[in-house]
Amino acid sequence: MRTGTAPEVPAPRATRWLAAVRPLLRPLLRRRPAPVGPSRPDQLRALVAVLDEAVAAQRPADEAVAACGEPGPVSRGTARDCGQQSIALHRLRARLQDVGTTDPDLVAAQARAARLLAYHLWMLRASMNLAFTVRPVDRTEAARLHLNGLGRPADDLRRLRDTLRAELSEA
C-alpha cells in the first residue's frame, strides 16, 4: 500500500450492479424523436368532418325540441326522439373532443363547437323535463309552449362549420 492513496476496496454491490446493467439500459434511454402530429390541413379536415355530422344531426334535434313545445299532450314518440337525438349528439361531442388538434386556432374552434353541442344537449334535456313533468303547473306549461327549436346556437354551429370549411377549401 502506498502512502496518501486510498486502500484498494472492492466497489460496493450497487455500483457493480449498475456498471453491469448500464450497457443494457443505454438503448432504452436514448431519446427518440417526438412523434410528428398531423398537419394543420389534416386537423382541419378531421374537425370539419365531425362538424358536418353535427350540423346534419341538428335538424332532427331541432324538430324534437320543437315537438316538446307543441300545444296539447306530448307523445311518447317525442320522448323517444329526444332520447335518440341526445345520444347522437353526445356521441358527436365525444368524437369532437377526440379530434387531436394542436393548432391554437383549431383548438379554440373545437372548444367552441363542444360548447355549442353541450348547449344542444342541455336544450334537449330541458325540453324533455318541461314536456314530461309529473306535476304540470301554469308556469312550466307556459315555458314549454315557448319551445320552438335549438335557436341561435344551432346557427352559430353552422356558421363555425362553414367558416372552417371555407378555410379548408382555401388550403
Side-chain angles (χ1 to χ4, degrees):
M1 180 177 195
R2 290 192 226 156
T3 13
T5 62
E8 293 184 29
V9 183
R13 183 182 226 162
T15 305
R16 286 182 296 190
W17 181 82
L18 185 59
V21 173
R22 186 173 285 147
L24 300 173
L25 292 177
R26 273 196 188 110
L28 298 175
L29 296 175
R30 285 191 191 132
R31 294 191 184 245
R32 292 181 178 93
V36 178
S39 66
R40 179 175 165 72
D42 291 340
Q43 293 176 29
L44 188 58
R45 252 188 297 284
L47 188 57
V48 168
V50 175
L51 289 178
D52 282 339
E53 290 182 47
V55 168
Q58 282 185 152
R59 179 178 298 268
D62 190 62
E63 291 170 356
V65 170
C68 288
E70 291 178 359
V74 184
S75 70
R76 288 184 299 181
T78 300
R80 184 182 57 247
D81 293 344
C82 284
Q84 288 172 346
Q85 294 313 310
S86 181
I87 290 168
L89 289 177
H90 181 72
R91 287 179 178 160
L92 280 169
R93 186 166 183 246
R95 282 189 47 218
L96 178 67
Q97 291 173 334
D98 288 342
V99 173
T101 55
T102 55
D103 185 85
D105 294 337
L106 296 181
V107 169
Q110 180 182 8
R112 175 137 173 79
R115 285 192 306 273
L116 290 169
L117 284 176
Y119 170 81
H120 292 3
L121 287 165
W122 175 83
M123 192 64 186
L124 277 165
R125 179 62 155 216
S127 63
M128 286 192 329
N129 287 343
L130 288 171
F132 299 102
T133 183
V134 176
R135 294 188 191 105
V137 293
D138 292 339
R139 193 173 77 199
T140 58
E141 186 64 17
R144 182 183 77 80
L145 293 174
H146 280 101
L147 292 173
N148 61 0
L150 294 173
R152 194 179 104 218
D155 297 334
D156 292 346
L157 185 65
R158 195 174 308 109
R159 276 192 292 274
L160 177 64
R161 189 266 326 250
D162 292 343
T163 302
L164 292 175
R165 186 185 277 172
E167 184 179 333
L168 182 62
S169 66
E170 291 172 4

